[in-house]
């Protein structure tokens, strides 16, 4: 996958929470694919997000499943970060989503617990709070 000159792949987990906040957390991985990462390290990023939110006295209850982005190159990771910082629902966000897809970024829902699996299977995510409808993440 990556030559020794390139950085390792980066996995980013984006989660929206019921209090209207969002959090993205990234980590380097030697996994070759998103599936390999999810199989080998299930829940590690989610645990990191839970710990950070607990330290900040924020809710740890998600609105629904989070989203994992697997970027195999530094360029692809930069595109993921630019996408996450674009205004929600904007044409810029749409263009940046196309850019990350063209860069080969793998995208998949991330499930943290049984109730979130049910939300994903049934497609019954909670309505966004007014704060969550605010534009952009950065």
């Amino acid at each position: 996958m990556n030559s020794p000159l390139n950085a390792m792949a980066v996995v980013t987990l984006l989660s929206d929470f019921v209090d209207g906040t969002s959090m993205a957390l990234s980590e380097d991985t030697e996994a070759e694919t998103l599936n390999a990462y999810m199989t080998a390290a299930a829940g590690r990023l989610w645990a990191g997000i839970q710990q950070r939110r607990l330290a900040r006295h924020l809710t740890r209850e998600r609105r629904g499943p989070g989203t994992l982005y697997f970027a195999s190159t530094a360029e692809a990771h930069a595109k993921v970060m630019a996408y996450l910082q674009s205004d929600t629902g904007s044409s810029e966000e749409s263009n940046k989503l196309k850019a990350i897809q063209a860069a080969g970024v793998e995208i998949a829902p991330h499930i943290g617990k049984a109730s979130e699996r049910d939300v994903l299977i049934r497609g019954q995510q909670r309505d966004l709070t007014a704060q969550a409808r605010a534009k952009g993440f950065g």
Side-chain angles (χ1 to χ4, degrees), residues 15-68:
S15 293
D16 295 319
F17 293 85
V18 295
D19 64 0
T21 58
S22 296
M23 181 175 278
L25 189 62
S26 298
E27 72 178 17
D28 293 338
T29 180
E30 293 181 2
E32 296 283 330
T33 65
L34 178 57
N35 187 57
Y37 173 83
M38 291 175 75
T39 303
R44 188 168 63 213
L45 269 181
W46 175 235
I49 285 184
Q50 292 281 51
Q51 290 169 358
R52 288 177 191 214
R53 293 187 68 81
L54 182 61
R56 294 178 185 172
H57 306 291
L58 298 170
T59 180
R60 293 182 295 155
E61 186 179 353
R62 283 199 289 209
R63 191 177 75 84
T67 305
L68 280 173

